[in-house]
Amino acid sequence: MSASPRFVKPTHDFNLPKVEREILERWSAAGVERQALDRRDGRPTYVFFEGPPTANGRPGIHHVFARTLKDVVCRYWTMKGYHVPRKAGWDTHGLPVEIEVQKELGISIKPEIEAFGIGPFNDRCRVSVFKYKGEWEKLSKRMGYWLDYDEPYVTCDNRYVSSLWSILARFFDEGLLERGHRILPWCPKCGTGLSSHEVAQGYQDVQDPSVFVRFPRVGHPGQSFLVWTTTPWTLPANVALAVHRDLDYVRVRRAANDGAGEELLLAEALVAKVFGKETVEIVERMSGASLVGERCERPFDWLPFEGEGRHDLLVAGDFVSAEEGSGIVHMAPAFGEDDHFVGVKEGLAILNPIDAQGRFAAGIPLVGGQFVRDANSELVRELERRGKLFRRDNFTHAYPHCWRCKTPLLYWLRPSWYLRTTRIKERMVAQNREIQWFPADIGTGRFGEWLENNVDWAVSRERFWGTPLNVWSCATCRSLQVVRSEAHLRQLVPTLPDGFDLHRPHIDAIELPCTKAGCGGNARRTPEVVDCWFDSGAMPFAQHGWIAEPGKAPPQDHPADYISEGLDQTRGWFYTLHVISTFLTGKPASKRILVGNLVLDAKKQKMSKSRGNTVDPWQEIDAHGVDAVRWHLIAQSHPWLPRAYDPAAVGATGRELFGTLWNCWSFFATYAELDQFDPRSQAEPQMMARSELDRWLAAEVERLVEEVDAAFARYDLTKAANLIAAFVDRKLSNWYIRRARDRFWGRGMTADKLAAYTTLWEALDRVARVMAPLAPFFADALRGWLEPGGTSVHLDSFPSPRAERRAPELERDMEAVLDVVALGRRARSAAGINLRQPLGCVYLKGADAAIDGKLGSRFAELIAEELNVERVVVADESRLDQLRTLKVKPNFKLLGPKLGPKLGAAKQALEKLTTEQAAAVLRGEALTLYLGGAPATFTSAEVEVVLEGKPGFGVETDGRMLVAFDTTLTPTLIAAGHVREVVKRVNNSRREAGLRVADRIDLHLAGPAALLAAAEAGRARIGDDTLAVVIAFGGEPPTGDDWRSFPWEVDAEPLIVTLRRIRG
RNA sequence: GCACCCGUAGCUCAGCUGGUUAGAGCACGCGCCUGAUAAGCGCGAGGUAAGUGGUUCGAAUCCACUCGGGUGCACCA
């Protein structure tokens, strides 16, 4: 033996997690990740934006999924020759962080934070936000998500904040950043308003009272307006009622109940719904318009009306409907958008009796100091005491809650800063059409509709840990100015120390001279901070510290080619990115958006900590290997559908795909080691010099490359994964290797063997490359096994399909061969004759004459071996007549439109035709039938002829092809079967004895005479197939240290195999 | 309440520009093969295609409604 072999048979069992750990070490030692991320060398850039996570929570299994979607695409384009920068980012500001710190400190409301001190509080936030940074980085590394963590963008860095300021200043310049008084969703616990996309995150079912209240009609004793509300706590703030001008209203008299003759006014359409079975008498009909201006008496008169504003009357409101309630709506202009809108229009008074924590003012009777929602029941009782309550129920409805602290929100009149997104809505809608969404209907549907219903973005937060809003307001003249960047601030305040932190509370202390000519006043910063969704939405700009200026070009990597996040980001990150990019550049932030859906548990339940059904990503990765996790998550179904995470299924992926590939590799290595095969040392065999099977596999490999490439290019990762898995299972492992196995067995290196090695090596190599984006670890391991010391697959290129190797005809022919063989196995199984028993002859009939010719010649040997028969015979007409009948069926696609309702009759008539008539059709003859007396002619294309096997001949058919065996067993065949039985037992014995495949043996066989006789006659074959050098038959099995005996049964008779390894 | 997605074998999913006999994998049962060996292959059983109605010669596929699941929207007063 000369040099040591290039390939070595693996001596250990397959263990994917272990393989992955080795690859991690290799990547780390060789700096592979860094090289892949940094590769430029004149490549075009493929731009990816990373949505920043907040690292104050642990990453879960759904993050593994989300990050796989990002990673696969980035790896693919890297292999396609692009430079794909992947700058990591951290989302660091905002309510989620503050809430965590509040929990740490055991405090819950704003005044407590102020007492603790904004400075120390924010210092804690800055630390908290990176609490799990290490774990995020570790998980990214372990799962193979390559992301550049060396210079991440961090939203709380001065540089980032400075960039945000410049962008806000541009909104301000254009008049799109304004302070407004509007009804705002307000979290009483956090003490801040929320934006619509935050509200959208937090709907939960709650039970609320549903009460009908009497509002006495002034000037009409005994009459009341009937009013419905689900928020009794807003009744003390009532100033008016609203009716719809165009609705019909009625005055009804109640018969004899408690009210004894009372009269109630409500919308006519709701009478039945409100009174149900109770009989009421309609006294008067009137229009809504006629009620406008009527006076009413509010139920609670605790709050005085001061100054201006009309009150205690009926006004008109377009929003009033007769769907529910009474058609008369109670108006509290401080607590509802419609109420407020109408209130402004009608000049109504505004009563605002609650504080920022959602508590009634202390001076209010009965409920003073109570949290408003808690006051509901007390207020309802009071209504009852006052005789104002008509009815009370409860009803359950979805109500918005604070997305972080879960407190029910209040809609409350409150000043806030707005980005006037409604003014750029048309641009946003138009630009959305430029985005390629995966799936497309998110863009037109969910996201498109969201844009159509756009409302201004309430962008300020009355909080502490966030980008300070960069608007200063003059205490004297109220004029506003914005600070455009940190540099700008330094111009304005030259004394600012180095390292000045732009956050609160430091920034609050900065006063600026008023810029208005002649004012001379001092401007103070408006106290709010900015919605943290603005931070992340601005990342295409702020990640580069880009400073916005009028007319300035965007960063050169804008827009991105690709982003991917979860479905929940539709109204989150995807939206805020879109607002800011559209405003600044007129373009969307990314050309393509791939949306991932939820990862549910194995029972399709949402994972949540409270249910206790969360899946620990580390445990899954350790158990199955992350490539199996990644692969399964991608292959299971399209990313935008919800998926169940089933650990058992992940394990199966690991075994089936990676285990099979491992076996393929192991097979290759076993023989490559023995033969010292080295693809470098020989010229690659010409394709034309290789066997048909080799050319077939090579063609299929190129087809795979083409199809996988196309699937990746259209972002169909699921298809790519399934194509690869199907190829490995069906083509590579279960056909090529199985059929080519014995070509690797002979001694010495023949041309055919070299061709087989080369073909298999090439196939494995290309599989490694095409699967690399999906299974980065295994692919790189396989690549390393195939080319020891070579470069990482991730620094290599995605293979280009070699079109010249494609062989469409051969690919189709082999499909037919596979089908014939499957039928043949089914036929043998049905006949009860196992594959070891050779048979004399198999009769075949393929789908058409062209394939018949090939089955009988080029593929005959292959089929004969696979089905263990001596001869393959393409059945001629007379043989076929014995084996099958023919049936004629309509070609529905052609005849449906032609015959219409007569198709059914035609079908029946055709089915009655004889085999002879059908055979004529097969020969291409036209067919004339009488349908209901009228002749109808069918061409051979308009009907289909199908085969049916005749019973009793062991025929198997799929309607087009046919396989039948001659099951006659001659003594020769039986003897040959015996030899195969013996070979199998000897080889099983070899394995049980722990021999290596190339070990030679001495062999002794003991058993029934007929079996031994057959074996003796076939000793050459046994010797070849079991590497037995000396074979002895009959007598007592030898004994001794080296000899080992194995008892078997053949046809219910004992066979004793005794063997020993020949040393040296 | 409104909108969107989904409902196919015990489980996970294909198929869905309508074509009559609805597929695959897993799991299960039986058998086979094995010089890749705690793998592999074949066969079988398993389906009122959620339900109802419609369009059509023909519907898992198109339409309507109902039920169930998911998601989103929504101030529901």
Side-chain angles (χ1 to χ4, degrees):
Chain A
M1 291 284 156
S2 51
S4 63
R6 182 162 176 81
F7 304 106
V8 180
K9 175 185 163 67
T11 53
H12 48 88
D13 287 342
F14 179 54
N15 180 330
L16 186 56
K18 182 163 168 262
V19 168
E20 290 173 354
R21 285 191 292 272
E22 288 164 7
I23 293 296
L24 278 171
E25 275 171 35
R26 193 191 304 166
W27 285 349
S28 157
V32 176
E33 177 174 355
R34 193 74 259 165
Q35 287 183 62
L37 293 178
D38 288 349
R39 284 190 92 178
R40 287 196 178 81
D41 49 299
R43 297 160 157 245
T45 302
Y46 180 91
V47 180
F48 165 74
F49 290 158
E50 159 79 353
T54 307
N56 73 339
R58 285 204 159 84
I61 192 79
H62 54 292
H63 293 110
V64 174
F65 172 56
R67 303 189 134 218
T68 300
L69 294 178
K70 300 175 183 184
D71 187 60
V72 171
V73 171
C74 288
R75 281 183 191 273
Y76 169 72
W77 289 102
T78 301
M79 290 181 76
K80 289 295 280 186
Y82 290 79
H83 173 225
V84 187
R86 281 156 261 184
K87 194 179 183 68
W90 298 109
D91 198 12
T92 56
H93 281 146
L95 226 35
V97 185
E98 295 193 29
I99 301 288
E100 277 306 305
V101 171
Q102 284 177 215
K103 277 188 202 154
E104 272 173 44
L105 296 173
I107 58 179
S108 60
I109 57 170
K110 271 168 72 177
E112 293 175 308
I113 297 171
E114 276 151 2
F116 181 78
I118 298 175
F121 182 79
N122 277 357
D123 289 344
R124 291 223 178 202
C125 287
R126 195 190 290 275
V127 173
S128 161
V129 81
F130 291 118
K131 185 168 177 190
Y132 296 108
K133 178 168 176 267
E135 185 161 350
W136 278 85
E137 292 183 0
K138 210 172 115 203
L139 184 68
S140 292
K141 187 134 285 197
R142 177 61 186 88
M143 68 164 283
Y145 179 39
W146 280 355
L147 195 62
D148 192 342
Y149 278 115
D150 284 357
E151 287 180 8
Y153 66 92
V154 178
T155 59
C156 61
D157 283 354
N158 271 6
R159 189 173 117 96
Y160 198 95
V161 167
S162 182
S163 177
L164 297 177
W165 279 3
S166 74
I167 295 167
L168 287 163
R170 289 292 300 129
F171 276 99
F172 184 85
D173 293 345
E174 303 288 331
L176 298 182
L177 175 60
E178 287 183 353
R179 193 170 151 91
H181 281 73
R182 301 191 199 184
I183 299 294
L184 198 65
W186 182 265
C187 175
K189 190 159 177 184
C190 301
T192 188
L194 299 176
S195 64
S196 53
H197 47 259
E198 286 174 309
V199 173
Q201 316 265 339
Y203 276 84
Q204 283 177 27
D205 275 349
V206 293
Q207 206 179 51
D208 271 329
S210 158
V211 297
F212 285 88
V213 184
R214 297 184 180 96
F215 277 58
R217 184 183 188 190
V218 172
H220 299 269
Q223 296 183 15
S224 297
F225 298 104
L226 192 60
V227 174
W228 183 59
T229 181
T230 58
T231 51
W233 63 266
T234 60
L235 287 170
N238 172 271
V239 300
L241 298 176
V243 292
H244 197 292
R245 285 183 183 278
D246 301 332
L247 280 177
D248 291 323
Y249 289 82
V250 290
R251 177 155 58 90
V252 302
R253 178 177 292 129
R254 305 180 68 200
N257 282 323
D258 50 354
E262 77 162 326
E263 295 183 342
L264 297 170
L265 289 90
L266 72 161
E268 182 170 17
L270 288 157
V271 169
K273 207 165 175 178
V274 170
F275 293 101
K277 286 180 202 151
E278 180 185 341
T279 329
V280 292
E281 179 195 349
I282 293 179
V283 183
E284 185 191 355
R285 284 193 171 75
M286 62 206 87
S287 69
S290 70
L291 289 172
V292 172
E294 290 245 4
R295 310 288 305 179
C296 62
E297 188 186 303
R298 57 181 174 154
F300 301 121
D301 53 358
W302 298 322
L303 298 165
F305 290 109
E306 292 159 355
E308 292 161 28
R310 307 198 294 154
H311 52 85
D312 292 325
L313 78 166
L314 271 70
V315 297
D318 289 339
F319 62 92
V320 178
S321 78
E323 300 287 311
E324 252 178 310
S326 65
I328 304 178
V329 175
H330 128 73
M331 305 287 295
F335 301 110
E337 199 166 316
D338 288 325
D339 307 36
H340 183 247
F341 180 76
V342 170
V344 170
K345 192 174 153 211
E346 299 285 342
L348 298 179
I350 295 177
L351 296 177
N352 193 347
I354 70 168
D355 66 13
Q357 273 80 53
R359 292 175 310 215
F360 279 106
I364 297 177
L366 212 61
V367 293
Q370 271 196 53
F371 179 57
V372 290
R373 295 182 64 89
D374 297 337
N376 273 339
S377 51
E378 185 59 42
L379 288 167
V380 171
R381 275 197 297 277
E382 179 63 14
L383 284 172
E384 193 159 21
R385 279 195 289 271
R386 294 181 175 208
K388 299 289 171 59
L389 184 68
F390 173 73
R391 186 195 303 155
R392 102 155 271 174
D393 284 311
N394 285 319
F395 87 125
T396 303
H397 63 142
Y399 191 84
H401 289 64
C402 177
W403 63 296
R404 290 320 296 191
C405 75
K406 306 300 177 199
T407 308
L409 302 179
L410 306 178
Y411 285 85
W412 193 35
L413 184 66
R414 187 77 185 179
S416 174
W417 290 86
Y418 287 88
L419 283 184
R420 301 296 306 272
T421 53
T422 48
R423 297 218 196 127
I424 58 168
K425 174 179 145 181
E426 296 312 318
R427 267 194 279 167
M428 293 199 291
V429 168
Q431 284 309 311
N432 177 39
R433 294 199 197 99
E434 304 301 313
I435 300 172
Q436 198 179 359
W437 286 86
F438 301 95
D441 56 274
I442 297 274
T444 51
R446 188 173 292 198
F447 193 69
E449 284 164 25
W450 168 255
L451 291 180
E452 289 293 344
N453 298 322
N454 186 254
V455 296
D456 288 334
W457 178 355
V459 76
S460 62
R461 297 289 178 273
E462 297 179 48
R463 295 294 303 187
F464 309 100
W465 177 239
T467 301
L469 189 56
N470 50 331
V471 180
W472 269 254
S473 157
C474 174
T476 310
C477 73
R478 302 270 180 138
S479 67
L480 303 174
Q481 59 178 308
V482 288
V483 171
R484 313 189 70 89
S485 65
E486 183 180 356
H488 184 213
L489 182 66
R490 289 185 181 279
Q491 277 174 24
L492 297 171
V493 187
T495 55
L496 212 60
D498 283 351
F500 178 79
D501 177 9
L502 296 180
H503 286 93
R504 300 186 71 189
H506 320 287
I507 195 70
D508 298 337
I510 306 271
E511 293 192 6
L512 300 174
C514 180
T515 49
K516 191 174 177 187
C519 170
N522 258 351
R524 294 190 59 89
R525 196 184 71 83
T526 190
E528 294 91 344
V529 296
V530 175
D531 179 4
C532 63
W533 289 99
F534 188 89
D535 294 5
S536 52
M539 73 53 74
F541 309 94
Q543 70 169 337
H544 302 302
W546 183 83
I547 297 297
E549 290 160 24
K552 185 172 170 180
Q556 62 172 13
D557 64 349
H558 189 281
D561 288 291
Y562 172 75
I563 61 176
S564 171
E565 301 289 335
L567 189 60
D568 53 337
Q569 296 299 333
T570 309
R571 267 71 184 214
W573 195 52
F574 294 152
Y575 172 64
T576 60
L577 275 176
H578 196 64
V579 169
I580 295 169
S581 278
T582 304
F583 170 70
L584 287 176
T585 72
K587 285 184 182 167
S590 179
K591 295 173 189 166
R592 294 170 203 87
I593 302 180
L594 175 62
V595 179
N597 208 317
L598 293 162
V599 178
L600 309 168
D601 75 4
K603 292 176 190 146
K604 289 197 162 176
Q605 294 293 305
K606 213 167 179 172
M607 288 188 195
S608 68
K609 279 177 196 158
S610 55
R611 278 204 187 89
N613 61 347
T614 53
V615 172
D616 175 14
W618 292 103
Q619 185 188 315
E620 293 305 303
I621 290 170
D622 288 344
H624 308 113
V626 76
D627 276 353
V629 175
R630 288 171 60 122
W631 195 282
H632 181 254
L633 286 170
I634 296 288
Q636 190 183 0
S637 61
H638 290 295
W640 49 85
L641 300 173
R643 69 213 46 247
Y645 184 87
D646 183 356
V650 174
T653 296
R655 286 192 304 277
E656 283 157 23
L657 175 66
F658 298 106
T660 300
L661 265 174
W662 164 263
N663 275 339
C664 293
W665 151 250
S666 171
F667 173 84
F668 171 86
T670 301
Y671 296 101
E673 178 180 9
L674 292 175
D675 284 325
Q676 305 239 346
F677 169 72
D678 185 341
R680 298 169 307 176
S681 61
Q682 280 101 351
E684 181 181 281
Q686 295 290 311
M687 286 314 295
M688 286 322 292
R690 302 195 203 179
S691 74
E692 193 142 55
L693 191 68
D694 293 337
R695 280 185 281 119
W696 169 77
L697 186 72
E700 290 287 353
V701 166
E702 298 312 317
R703 166 142 71 132
L704 178 74
V705 168
E706 264 178 56
E707 291 178 352
V708 171
D709 194 19
F712 276 135
R714 59 172 193 269
Y715 295 79
D716 191 347
L717 317 184
T718 302
K719 182 76 178 174
N722 286 313
L723 284 167
I724 295 167
F727 171 84
V728 168
D729 177 36
R730 192 149 173 258
K731 308 214 159 125
L732 180 61
S733 173
N734 279 315
W735 193 244
Y736 180 79
I737 291 184
R738 208 152 62 85
R739 285 317 321 154
R741 219 163 9 191
D742 56 6
R743 296 164 64 194
F744 294 88
W745 294 346
R747 307 187 86 176
M749 185 63 83
T750 60
D752 177 66
K753 200 177 192 181
L754 183 62
Y757 272 122
T758 306
T759 303
L760 181 53
W761 186 91
E762 287 171 346
L764 289 170
D765 175 67
R766 284 170 100 68
V767 166
R769 292 171 193 234
V770 297
M771 80 190 303
L774 292 158
F777 294 95
F778 186 87
D780 214 8
L782 179 55
R783 179 90 180 109
W785 299 328
L786 292 167
E787 195 173 326
T791 53
S792 163
V793 73
H794 304 292
L795 300 176
D796 220 320
S797 57
F798 197 87
S800 324
R802 290 180 285 209
E804 72 281 6
R805 291 194 170 192
R806 289 296 302 277
E809 193 181 334
L810 178 56
E811 292 162 30
R812 274 197 307 277
D813 292 348
M814 196 63 90
E815 281 299 319
V817 172
L818 285 163
D819 290 342
V820 162
V821 166
L823 282 177
R825 282 197 285 252
R826 201 193 301 172
R828 287 193 71 125
S829 180
I833 300 171
N834 73 34
L835 261 178
R836 277 188 302 277
Q837 176 58 58
L839 290 172
C841 180
V842 63
Y843 300 104
L844 306 179
K845 170 79 188 74
D848 58 56
I851 191 67
D852 279 348
K854 295 174 194 166
L855 293 175
S857 56
R858 278 161 57 190
F859 298 111
E861 191 183 336
L862 197 162
I863 294 168
E865 273 185 37
E866 188 66 19
L867 294 177
N868 196 15
V869 291
E870 295 182 324
R871 283 177 301 132
V872 171
V873 175
V874 175
D876 58 21
E877 284 303 315
S878 62
R879 176 74 62 190
L880 282 174
D881 285 342
Q882 297 173 344
L883 297 173
R884 58 95 176 98
T885 56
L886 295 174
K887 290 282 177 221
V888 180
K889 287 168 61 177
N891 180 331
F892 290 98
K893 200 155 193 170
L894 288 176
L895 288 180
K898 182 174 163 185
L899 296 179
K902 287 187 277 189
L903 184 60
K907 179 185 177 196
Q908 287 188 358
L910 289 169
E911 277 169 357
K912 285 186 190 134
L913 296 177
T914 63
T915 295
E916 288 68 33
Q917 288 170 301
V921 174
L922 267 189
R923 288 190 298 270
E925 294 175 19
L927 189 64
T928 301
L929 293 178
Y930 286 86
L931 295 177
T937 303
F938 303 94
T939 67
S940 58
E942 284 169 340
V943 296
E944 194 184 348
V945 178
V946 297
L947 307 178
E948 283 182 10
K950 282 188 181 171
F953 290 85
V955 181
E956 289 291 336
T957 173
D958 67 350
R960 308 187 71 205
M961 299 180 298
L962 173 150
V963 178
F965 287 92
D966 177 352
T967 53
T968 314
L969 286 178
T970 63
T972 319
L973 290 173
I974 292 170
H978 282 150
V979 171
R980 293 270 304 240
E981 296 288 354
V982 169
V983 166
K984 168 183 163 167
R985 271 44 176 211
V986 174
N987 278 328
N988 280 346
S989 305
R990 286 180 59 112
R991 182 165 57 255
E992 284 192 25
L995 300 190
R996 294 168 58 103
V997 294
D999 288 338
R1000 324 215 120 233
I1001 56 171
D1002 287 337
L1003 177 63
H1004 177 271
L1005 297 170
L1011 189 63
L1012 289 190
E1016 195 152 6
R1019 66 187 308 156
R1021 174 73 188 270
I1022 294 172
D1024 281 350
D1025 287 356
T1026 68
L1027 299 186
V1029 177
V1030 178
I1031 311 179
F1033 300 89
E1036 282 302 304
T1039 52
D1041 288 353
D1042 296 342
W1043 288 96
R1044 297 197 49 192
S1045 261
F1046 301 89
W1048 302 96
E1049 258 187 20
V1050 175
D1051 292 342
E1053 297 203 73
L1055 170 72
I1056 312 290
V1057 174
T1058 309
L1059 54 78
R1060 68 172 175 192
R1061 189 162 73 93
I1062 297 176
R1063 300 193 178 280

